[in-house]
Amino acid sequence: MKRFFYTVFCVSLLFSCKPSQNATASKTSETASAASNNQSTCTYWQQHVDYKMDIDVDVKTYQYKGKQQLVYTNNSPDVLNKVFYHLYLNAFQPGSEMDVRSRTIPDPDKRVGDRISKLKPNEIGYIKVNSLKQNGSKLSYETVGTVLEVALAKPIQPGESVTFDMDFDAQLPIQIRRSGRNNKEGVALSMTQWYPKLAEYDYEGWHADPYIGREFYGVWGDFDVTLHIDKNYVVGGTGYLQNPNEVGYGYETGTVKRPNSDKLTWHFKAPNVHDFTWAADPDYRHDTMQVPNGPLLHFLYKSTMPKDKLENWKKLQPKAVELMQFYSENIGKYPYDQYSIIQGGDGGMEYAMCTLILGEGEFDGLFGVTAHEMAHSWFQFLLATNELTNYWMDEGFTQYFGELAGSKIINTSFKKETKQTYDVYAYYANSGTEQPLTTQADRFNYNRSSSIAAYYKGYVFLNQLAYVIGQENQEKTIKEYFKAWAFKHPNGNDFIRIAEKVSDLELDWYLNDFTRTTNTIDYGVKTVEGKTITLERIGLMPMPIDLSVTYTDGSTEDFYIPLQMMRGEKPTTATTIKDWAWSYPTYTFEASKTVKSVTIDPNEMMADVDRKNNKK
Ligand SMILES: [Zn+2]
């Protein structure tokens, strides 16, 4: 989502040891326990889903009936005795965990506040499961808030596929957060997290997390979705429309003969995604624009908006093409043939092959939210981190690339944005309320804390990595990370291992201190006497040091002080001097001439929480 406040290496290895179902099934328990402690590419596995859904929508009551057939393949080395589904829409009921958390957190999200507590029965959201079968056998299950707990009739063996058949009824709530009806810009149906969605099982076990308001995590697979909906509604979303002629999608109104029945059938297929989202409105205008050597972009927005807002949507289209090109060049090629930018929801939120964004803001805002949400196609949709445990990896990296793209495409200042981002992080680090970046996303003490951690400190992590290993290595790391981990579930360690291989430096300390602790970086210039410079480490977090020295004769010299625990140096044109081992509180060296002044980190790439002592 969009932040909303304050202004290879192992690729060949990977293919050679990619687990097949049979190989996984025959793994010994020894291998299984190794896999549960780490996820090296050779022991990596992931579950697989194939959804087939048939959905009948009543646009007057905002209710829909669904039939879902789910083929689930257990690629894990473990025998599964139970499964869990997310029933996200149940969060929009008075007394739900989302409702109560929103009313008890000190700084509630204004969009939610106490609104859930006031929903009437015909306004709440729900998913009611009417029946569930495993390979034809009836299953017992229990709905517990936003999670369906299912006891299996027969355990699922490693390598085995089973078929679940489910019938369900659902009601789309009044728009509160992300999904919902008639959002504040009047979009009829924002259908996000709208179906019973199987929870992910990975090297950490089940992730049947309740929906309290934050983030998502899903199983990779193929979706085949058929929607029956009022013939006057236009639909956009995840996947490829299979019957465009039948629904008149992409054609001028009136050129297609509408059926005599009240409803049209829209059939979508989406291969290799971990979610399926759609939106529908009778007033959607639909434009397309082709990205050269890339996907077809779809734009769905309300034709009833004021004229200047409609013009913004036209102006956005060639810029969206540039965004798609920028990300494809700098991260990795967008692998699908379509991407849809859809007016809907309550801000901006990323989904598979599409985003739902508010559409009536000023152009800069519309561009900014599009830049951000589109970057999420890489950071969370393709590089599918668990957003609950690694919120920073998708929001921080997305924010970084969104700003970088904006600076190239609409000439915003990346430098200015980066400085502000560092300042907000430093403020947070000094506030006494900071929690580690790896805090579960729902478990932050304030909404503000979670946002600063994920969006700001996550951004700093990636930008500062360029300071630690060099700009070129940072850029290469991103591309190698994409090559190795697209269509999978990477974590922080997977990312830093790529950075280590690219740079040939040891970096576990960087991941550990910056994401798993609240240790801060604070280095200072202690004394300057003649040619002798003494620096001090005040904060607990280690860092290598870039230093700029001005001599009394007016000349300058840049120095690089490697951090000993990195076991190497980044590429640099500066004069490299002796290592600094972390535990030593001070570091003294002799310059070649009499020193006038010294500045630590002159480019301000290091997230030093007190810059006042960086200069003497
Ligand atoms: Zn985001």
Side-chain angles (χ1 to χ4, degrees), residues 386-398:
N386 180 348
E387 290 182 295
L388 276 153
T389 51
N390 284 302
Y391 195 21
W392 63 281
M393 289 182 76
D394 64 277
E395 291 304 348
F397 290 18
T398 290

Side-chain angles (χ1 to χ4, degrees), residues 324-591:
M324 186 54 80
Q325 290 172 318
F326 181 85
Y327 298 137
S328 288
E329 271 164 35
N330 291 285
I331 309 167
K333 192 174 182 335
Y334 182 77
Y336 305 108
D337 293 331
Q338 81 94 7
Y339 182 79
S340 299
I341 298 165
I342 304 168
Q343 187 184 6
D346 69 342
M349 187 65 193
E350 65 274 15
Y351 300 103
M353 293 192 214
C354 67
T355 177
L356 264 59
I357 59 173
L358 285 179
E360 292 187 1
E362 297 307 313
F363 178 76
D364 283 357
L366 187 65
F367 174 85
V369 74
T370 303
H372 179 92
E373 304 309 337
M374 196 191 280
H376 271 303
S377 291
W378 284 263
F379 302 109
Q380 218 282 323
F381 269 100
L382 291 161
L383 296 154
T385 43
N386 180 348
E387 290 182 295
L388 276 153
T389 51
N390 284 302
Y391 195 21
W392 63 281
M393 289 182 76
D394 64 277
E395 291 304 348
F397 290 18
T398 290
Q399 191 65 25
Y400 175 88
F401 270 93
E403 294 300 336
L404 203 57
S407 71
K408 297 285 186 304
I409 297 167
I410 60 163
N411 297 318
T412 50
S413 170
F414 181 71
K415 207 177 164 192
K416 194 174 145 202
E417 181 63 32
T418 300
K419 188 183 178 334
Q420 276 174 4
T421 301
Y422 275 61
D423 288 349
V424 170
Y425 157 66
Y427 157 81
Y428 176 49
N430 290 323
S431 73
T433 62
E434 189 186 1
Q435 292 173 264
L437 269 188
T438 46
T439 301
Q440 204 267 15
D442 287 312
R443 222 80 74 228
F444 281 93
N445 43 15
Y446 297 90
N447 275 319
R448 195 185 59 177
S449 301
S450 94
S451 295
I452 297 178
Y455 291 79
Y456 294 80
K457 196 178 179 185
Y459 180 128
V460 171
F461 176 93
L462 191 54
N463 193 67
Q464 185 174 249
L465 183 64
Y467 171 83
V468 175
I469 65 174
Q471 187 66 41
E472 274 180 39
N473 280 337
Q474 186 251 32
E475 289 168 14
K476 200 171 169 194
T477 295
I478 289 289
K479 291 177 182 172
E480 295 298 333
Y481 173 52
F482 179 83
K483 278 188 206 161
W485 288 101
F487 297 105
K488 297 189 183 71
H489 292 307
N491 60 33
N493 186 58
D494 299 323
F495 177 78
I496 213 69
R497 290 291 296 124
I498 300 282
E500 286 191 334
K501 288 170 187 172
V502 166
S503 65
D504 198 23
L505 295 167
E506 190 170 332
L507 299 167
D508 51 344
W509 60 274
Y510 184 57
L511 179 76
N512 209 34
D513 277 69
F514 211 59
T515 74
R516 296 170 182 158
T517 78
T518 55
N519 292 346
T520 53
I521 301 161
D522 185 11
Y523 282 87
V525 183
K526 197 166 189 221
T527 55
V528 178
E529 285 160 356
K531 294 179 183 174
T532 308
I533 297 167
T534 299
L535 308 179
E536 63 180 329
R537 178 182 57 75
I538 302 152
L540 271 174
M541 180 159 172
M543 279 302 257
I545 300 295
D546 282 359
L547 198 69
S548 170
V549 173
T550 302
Y551 297 115
T552 47
D553 66 6
S555 63
T556 61
E557 186 171 6
D558 292 334
F559 291 93
Y560 170 56
I561 305 171
L563 176 66
Q564 196 169 82
M565 68 176 72
M566 285 170 67
R567 308 293 158 199
E569 295 95 44
K570 73 174 169 185
T572 178
T573 54
T575 308
T576 301
I577 48 179
K578 66 181 176 184
D579 289 353
W580 187 343
W582 169 80
S583 82
Y584 297 91
T586 60
Y587 177 99
T588 302
F589 79 103
E590 199 83 355

Side-chain angles (χ1 to χ4, degrees), residues 109 286 322 567 573 614:
D109 181 339
H286 174 224
E322 288 184 62
R567 308 293 158 199
T573 54
N614 286 19

